[in-house]
Amino acid sequence: VVIIGMLSSTSTRLQALVYLLIYNFIFIIPFIILILAVGLGLTTTARVEKWRGKNLAKVQVITGVVMIIIGFILTALLI
């Protein structure tokens, strides 16, 4: 929501685009890579599910930490 507001203002549009790129690299690109790997037959959904089950806690902690860091950065830049 903050990013959308930043996009509406011409003075913060470039900064908002940078944040969107960072978000995409951290959260969206890994999903695309995973979809391509399964789609191209480099792995199977069963192997992906097994890995996810084994590493779910680590992934959640890493994702949470990244989100908190992004929140601090956005807060510091907007204040």
Side-chain angles (χ1 to χ4, degrees):
V1 174
V2 173
I3 301 297
I4 294 171
M6 291 175 72
L7 284 171
S8 68
S9 172
T10 56
S11 64
T12 58
R13 190 168 291 149
L14 181 61
Q15 190 176 20
L17 288 173
V18 170
Y19 292 146
L20 284 173
L21 285 173
I22 292 169
Y23 175 84
N24 283 327
F25 278 112
I26 294 172
F27 295 105
I28 304 303
I29 301 296
F31 289 122
I32 292 172
I33 292 170
L34 183 63
I35 290 168
L36 287 174
V38 172
L40 296 173
L42 302 174
T43 190
T44 64
T45 55
R47 286 177 61 192
V48 171
E49 181 59 30
K50 181 179 176 184
W51 181 90
R52 188 192 69 82
K54 202 167 81 171
N55 296 295
L56 184 60
K58 293 175 194 171
V59 171
Q60 288 176 333
V61 168
I62 291 168
T63 302
V65 168
V66 168
M67 292 296 279
I68 290 170
I69 290 170
I70 290 173
F72 280 132
I73 291 170
L74 284 173
T75 303
L77 293 174
L78 294 175
I79 292 179

